[in-house]
């Protein structure tokens, strides 16, 4: 008996593709808004009442560089890289984001690794042990760029239902 399945699904126009998804991958849903005026606005309006759904940029919401380290806040993780190493921290583990205005920094409080499944801890230990030891202090740019970082964390929490809190501390 021959078993058939859908590996990929796409919506095409005469000029390009508009939508692409991979059904067996929960989060691979891509939209090509190039040349399609208003499609992102319509999707945002449609998805606004649907908890756990949002349109986010493919490359991430915001990125910044401090002291030769680049940070990228994506829909599901905070990724960092520098000359020596790189890691990705899962936002599901994040408990609180505290913006320290006087230090131009974020204090990130994460759930302990011990609360994760044995399988996940094993994968981290073997493939990327740095991802298991989440960064607790991250420098951020000052001014408008800092506000952009803060707003991105808030947007992800609101739109995708993350449980972390976002607080600010100023002196």
């Amino acid at each position: 008996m021959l078993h058939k399945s859908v590996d990929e699904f796409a919506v095409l126009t005469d000029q390009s593709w508009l939508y692409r998804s991979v059904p067996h991958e929960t989060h691979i849903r891509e939209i090509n808004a190039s040349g399609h005026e208003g499609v992102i606005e319509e999707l945002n309006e449609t998805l606004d009442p649907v908890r756990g759904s949002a349109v986010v940029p493919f490359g991430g919401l915001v990125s910044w560089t401090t002291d030769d380290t680049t940070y990228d806040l994506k829909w599901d993780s905070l990724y960092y890289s520098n000359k020596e190493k790189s890691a990705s921290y899962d936002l599901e583990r994040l408990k609180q984001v505290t913006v320290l205005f006087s230090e131009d920094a974020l204090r990130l409080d994460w759930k302990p690794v011990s609360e994760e499944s044995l399988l996940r801890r094993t994968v981290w230990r073997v493939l990327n042990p740095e991802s298991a030891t989440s960064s607790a202090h991250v420098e951020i740019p000052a001014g408008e760029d800092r506000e952009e970082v803060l707003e991105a964390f808030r947007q992800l929490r609101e739109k995708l239902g993350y449980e972390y809190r976002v607080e600010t501390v100023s002196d």
Side-chain angles (χ1 to χ4, degrees):
M1 182 160 107
L2 181 63
H3 178 70
K4 295 183 180 186
S5 64
V6 176
D7 292 324
E8 184 174 359
F9 176 79
V11 175
L12 308 173
T13 67
D14 290 338
Q15 292 80 30
S16 67
W17 65 277
L18 179 61
Y19 172 83
R20 173 188 172 266
S21 67
V22 178
H24 63 275
E25 295 288 339
T26 307
H27 295 96
I28 298 181
R29 310 285 186 267
E30 297 175 340
I31 295 140
N32 178 9
S34 303
H36 304 283
E37 293 299 315
V39 72
I40 296 298
E41 292 79 12
E42 281 187 49
L43 283 169
N44 279 324
E45 286 177 23
T46 302
L47 292 175
D48 193 44
V50 181
R51 183 154 173 79
S53 297
V55 176
V56 294
F58 181 74
L61 276 79
V62 65
S63 50
W64 66 96
T65 302
T66 59
D67 296 329
D68 295 326
T69 300
T70 299
Y71 297 91
D72 293 302
L73 182 60
K74 299 181 183 287
W75 68 270
D76 64 341
S77 63
L78 176 63
Y79 177 81
Y80 89 92
S81 62
N82 59 32
K83 293 176 188 172
E84 300 166 9
K85 57 187 172 183
S86 65
S88 180
Y89 306 126
D90 187 353
L91 294 181
E92 287 289 332
R93 292 185 50 223
L94 189 57
K95 294 192 311 185
Q96 182 166 322
V97 176
T98 305
V99 181
L100 307 169
F101 285 109
S102 61
E103 299 176 36
D104 289 326
L106 298 175
R107 184 176 62 227
L108 303 172
D109 297 315
W110 301 90
K111 294 175 187 171
V113 173
S114 60
E115 290 183 15
E116 295 297 329
S117 70
L118 179 59
L119 176 61
R120 190 169 203 171
R121 289 183 307 209
T122 303
V123 168
W124 280 339
R125 187 168 292 133
V126 173
L127 298 179
N128 194 352
E130 186 64 31
S131 292
T133 55
S134 308
S135 181
H137 190 85
V138 173
E139 291 184 36
I140 57 174
E144 288 181 25
D145 291 340
R146 175 177 56 205
E147 293 303 319
E148 186 180 353
V149 170
L150 183 58
E151 182 55 33
F153 273 104
R154 286 182 175 141
Q155 178 186 5
L156 287 173
R157 183 193 68 214
E158 177 186 326
K159 298 285 186 184
L160 298 180
Y162 286 113
E163 296 179 5
Y164 60 78
R165 296 180 309 278
V166 179
E167 297 182 358
T168 58
V169 175
S170 57
D171 295 325

